[in-house]
Amino acid sequence: MADAPMDDVAFDRSEYRKADRYFRLVEEKLPEEAVSALAREVVRRLAFRMPHALKKEDLPTKSDIEQLCGALLSRTDDAADNFILSARRDGVRLEAIYLGYVAGAARRLGEMWDNDDISFIDVTLACGKLYRIIRGLRHAIAPGILGDRDDWPAMFALVPGETHTIGIEIATDVFRREGWDVDMMMALDHDTLIEQSERRSYKVIVLVANSDGMLEALARLVLALRISQPLAHVIVAGNILDHHADIIDVVGADAVLKDVNTAVVKLRDLIAEDAG
């Protein structure tokens, strides 16, 4: 990982702002149970990233974790950001920030939530702040997550619970005929799909959903993929687009694919933007 302070080019302020807007929006648009599931997803995906490669002196103390949790739960919006920035300025490496501080805070928040020491509102606030921090650091932390994986251009996945497979099969076939190397994933539950996705580093992930009832499952899946695949473009396709004009914002995706005919060009353009 790049060893650079958060306030330089390593910090993606655009993604930070998008993540912040996203969590504020889902609290307005989705029912409480769905928001709770998203907060749980942040805790689960971050808490189990264990710091095996870090030296003991790089790890945060229990007091450090308690202070970070206090900042995350604070009503001062940028308290956690300032805590992380201060740690970086004190020389804490990015590996330790991500695997030590962020993961440690996620584990502690999970414990506090399970013990009813904090409210649903508190934990949602804290998880939103954690999520925007890791999205801001995505370019810096991605090499540590993805460095030992093969580089595959695209994954097409059916949202768990979705049963209409024709669309994804047609799209996968079209892309493969155009020379793309596509992994197609269907009939997998949420955790299995994330586990499978973590085996490779994808440039593009297309998630296909058709029914209106898939919105909450789709939002949870996008969130999990943002953590496991921080540099991938996450795209939504399928008939669910007809039900939600604002779906990009509601689920936190990068773009939508409305038809197969324009999809190949659109995804090529997205990858070309990265290369440029």
Side-chain angles (χ1 to χ4, degrees):
M1 296 182 204
D3 198 14
M6 277 178 64
D7 55 353
D8 71 5
V9 293
F11 193 72
D12 191 331
R13 296 197 176 279
S14 174
E15 283 298 319
Y16 172 93
R17 288 190 292 268
K18 282 171 61 178
D20 184 53
R21 288 195 302 270
Y22 167 68
F23 247 87
R24 295 176 192 273
L25 180 64
V26 295
E27 288 183 79
E28 297 174 8
K29 294 280 189 177
L30 298 181
E32 185 174 304
E33 313 87 74
V35 178
S36 178
L38 292 175
R40 284 282 184 193
E41 196 70 31
V42 172
V43 169
R44 288 179 62 219
R45 296 297 163 192
L46 293 177
F48 294 106
R49 297 196 177 276
M50 304 302 287
H52 300 300
L54 295 179
K55 298 177 181 178
K56 186 175 181 179
E57 56 267 28
D58 289 331
L59 294 175
T61 64
K62 184 177 180 180
S63 175
D64 291 330
I65 295 300
E66 292 295 339
Q67 288 181 58
L68 177 53
C69 286
L72 288 164
L73 293 165
S74 168
R75 297 301 168 183
T76 302
D77 190 56
D78 59 355
D81 301 342
N82 290 335
F83 182 94
I84 294 295
L85 184 56
S86 176
R88 284 293 294 137
R89 286 172 175 162
D90 287 343
V92 178
R93 299 164 57 206
L94 278 166
E95 292 93 334
I97 292 290
Y98 185 55
L99 297 175
Y101 285 76
V102 170
R107 287 192 291 275
R108 180 64 184 134
L109 287 171
E111 292 170 0
M112 295 168 75
W113 195 358
D114 289 339
N115 294 333
D116 293 324
D117 294 330
I118 53 178
S119 69
F120 163 75
I121 294 174
D122 289 334
V123 80
T124 303
L125 175 72
C127 287
K129 292 176 181 177
L130 268 184
Y131 183 63
R132 74 187 187 189
I133 287 171
I134 63 164
R135 288 304 292 164
L137 289 170
R138 68 187 187 120
H139 288 290
I141 64 179
I145 300 174
L146 308 175
D148 59 348
R149 302 184 200 164
D150 296 330
D151 187 21
W152 287 53
M155 178 181 93
F156 285 20
L158 206 60
V159 173
E162 183 59 72
T163 57
H164 297 88
T165 65
I166 270 288
I168 190 173
E169 291 174 326
I170 291 173
T172 299
D173 182 63
V174 167
F175 272 79
R176 285 174 175 168
R177 288 175 184 273
E178 289 288 328
W180 285 63
D181 203 346
V182 179
D183 285 347
M184 181 173 63
M185 300 188 187
M186 300 190 300
L188 300 178
D189 62 34
H190 177 86
D191 287 338
T192 303
L193 180 52
I194 297 301
E195 180 184 345
Q196 291 294 319
S197 76
E198 289 184 334
R199 296 184 178 184
R200 297 186 172 95
S201 175
Y202 294 103
K203 290 186 175 72
V204 173
I205 297 174
V206 178
L207 303 176
V208 180
N210 291 301
S211 69
D212 187 25
M214 290 291 104
L215 182 65
E216 293 172 18
L218 175 60
R220 183 181 170 214
L221 185 58
V222 172
L223 186 75
L225 288 167
R226 289 295 195 199
I227 296 171
S228 65
Q229 295 278 347
L231 299 182
H233 294 283
V234 180
I235 317 296
V236 175
N239 293 337
I240 196 170
L241 303 182
D242 298 333
H243 301 286
H244 299 279
D246 58 350
I247 196 165
I248 289 180
D249 297 321
V250 174
V251 304
D254 294 307
V256 297
L257 295 181
K258 295 184 177 179
D259 62 84
V260 174
N261 294 330
T262 62
V264 174
V265 173
K266 188 165 190 174
L267 294 195
R268 278 181 179 158
D269 288 345
L270 281 174
I271 292 178
E273 287 175 14
D274 289 343

